Amino acid sequence: MTGYATSLDHIFAELERVDLLIHLAVERARCLDLRDEEFHGFYIPEEEIDALLASPIGLPEWATEPLPLLEEDVNDALAQLRTGIAQRTQESRRRGVSLRLDSLCRLYQLSPIEIDILLLCLAPEFDLRYERLYGYLHDDITRKRPSVDLALNLLSPTIAAKVMGRRHFGASAPLFRHTLLRLADDPTQPQAPLLRRFLVVEPRIVDYLLDDDEIDPRLAPYASLHESAQAEAPIDEDAQQRLRKLSQHSLAQAKALVLSLQGTYGVGRQATARSLATALGMKLLVVDGETLLDAQDLPFDLVLRLLAREARLQNALIYWDSFGPLLADERRAWRDLLLGELTTLPQPTFLAADRAWAPTAELAVPFIAVPFVRPDYPQRVHLWTQILGANDANDANLAELAGRFRFSAGQIRDAAATAHNLAHWRDPDTPQVTMDDLRRGCRLQSNPKLAELAAKIEPHYTWDDIVLPADRMAQLREIVHHVTYRGLVYDTWGFDGKLAMGKGLNVLFAGPSGTGKTMAADIMAGELGLDLYKIDLASVVSKYIGETEKNLARIFAEAETSNAILFFDEADALFGKRSEVRDSHDRYANIEISYLLQRMEAYDGMTILATNLQKNLDEAFVRRMHFTVEFPFPGEANRRRIWAQIWPDATPRSPVLDLDFMAQRFEVTGGAIRNIALSAAFLAADDGDAVQMRHLLHATQREYQKMGKVVVDGEFDAYIHEVHHARPTV
């Protein structure tokens, strides 16, 4: 006995068997046709009524009409076909020929009657003549697909068998639970009984049987198939071995296993899943969970069934990326649906979450949490060297990149790719990656979601733009050094093991408004090549209990992946002193402060708190600051330096501007000096003249009014009189 040459040959052989069943039914129906063809469809003849009353319950008369000679021949032919198909199928398996129908039946453990039901539905997909045959057997030419009633009539020898056969069409029956078939309503009778409903084979099943492995079009926007390939798993060998053993046991026992891969983007969760799928000889079906949750065109429970079906048809493991959104309380019902569906899969499933979690209720299958951590400083240096390649790595300061940017392997790969693109844009012929390209590439990897929670400040100041006492300038440079060398000190020199909490840097800037706190943060961000985000307190602080903590949690969570500097201006509004508890509002306000303390200690990045009044800050915050920098009100000498530096080179100025006079007479901050200079420039532009003393004094008067300072009539006139006798400024 030879096997089948192709999968299609096997399907045709099975359809030949279905043909015989239909042939027998047609011959019986033909013998009992009592219709008056001229008026058929307009009335029911008396003879037909009598025949209906005389027929046995449940089965049409043609289903029991004895046709001794034909039936005997058909039964013999069916027996021979079944034997031949079974033998040739076995031989095909032995030779390694893939038979899709056989694989489908074994995959879902379909019974013989379920296979026949599937073939009845499949027949019109191969030959439209079956539509007319089904119309004839329905006694209604418009009913071209097999109904539940017709399928049971063809396959059930008795009414008892027909009644028992209804179980094959329930929602939990394999054909429908696994979305191989679906039930369709009769358009002329929307709420028809089960027997009258039509059976339709799913298009994806037809495609599968015809050797088409394209993902179901309904899933294509949300899922992608990854062929097994060798991938370096970033976890240790012991963890890999344990995962492999667990997965192999799951497949061998055909039991579900849920593996929760927990860590931030780029730490290697998907690489580990691909490596494991390769070891098991399977593919990986990656689901974009975040995009899928926003889909409006498909019910979530249907999506889950389609994904489970696709995984089985593709011999793939499901990798649900971005599982985090399902952990929200309002999506618990969806999460339970997903976990419930996963327990029906006879194989492992991966859920990639950005934080640790565990099911709230005990699952019926094993649940294993696998934590993934970011690479440490030496590992980051190694990754930069490996990803950049020998030529680019030699020209880069890898220690600086690894120390400043606490990137995962995926982020390093993305940053390097961006740097190469920047170099190619700059010089398409001979692109050479520079350190500036790498820094820009790293900054572009900052999580864009943080921009939804805070205002991004583009650094544009330098050390030459700020005027502070020498000791304060030294403090600011020490802060920069702290960030630059933290990888060396914490990881290489071993201080990481001595610190229990976060390895971040908390800095307090205290001083009056306009003394340079925001400018200092801007300068340090530019020097370090890090993004600076200014937290909008109005969007953070909420009057509703618990909302402030949620907003802060989102900010710190996004900042962890962005390597950004968080700048809380007017921090005393958020980090103020805890008060004595007199009512529930005081108690929850204190909870918010305690929560902030906890998050700041755990945060690995840099946080800057700026305040005009340090005494208003809670002492617990001040105690946890690594640096406290006082920004004093500028004295006359520093005001003179600010006046000299504030002017752009292109601004036309009078040679008799007396900046000594301005610094001596007007005790204002650097921010006020900047405002005065800008206003004076606009006044001069309106006059069509260079900036004169009259413009400066007029702008100063407006600034005093804005600050609420009392301006005495004639006071500025006296200053102008003194200006005329002053020595011109060089």
Side-chain angles (χ1 to χ4, degrees), residues 75 151 186 206 252 293 310 425 560 684 691:
N75 287 336
D186 183 345
V206 178
L293 292 181
E310 197 67 39
W425 168 254
E560 285 284 1
V691 177

Side-chain angles (χ1 to χ4, degrees), residues 137-156:
L137 293 176
H138 281 127
D139 196 18
D140 185 346
I141 197 62
T142 65
R143 305 182 69 195
K144 300 179 180 181
R145 295 284 170 166
S147 64
V148 174
D149 185 58
L150 177 60
L152 289 173
N153 290 338
L154 288 170
L155 302 174
S156 305

Side-chain angles (χ1 to χ4, degrees), residues 557-600:
E558 297 298 343
E560 285 284 1
T561 62
S562 69
N563 292 270
I565 299 175
L566 297 182
F567 182 71
F568 290 87
D569 198 11
E570 299 181 3
D572 45 308
L574 189 61
F575 299 80
K577 289 185 176 180
R578 280 172 283 197
S579 59
E580 181 182 348
V581 177
R582 294 186 177 87
D583 55 28
S584 60
H585 294 286
D586 293 335
R587 181 171 67 255
Y588 283 110
N590 291 344
I591 290 175
E592 290 176 359
I593 295 172
S594 299
Y595 178 78
L596 275 169
L597 286 169
Q598 173 190 344
R599 289 310 302 255
M600 283 184 62

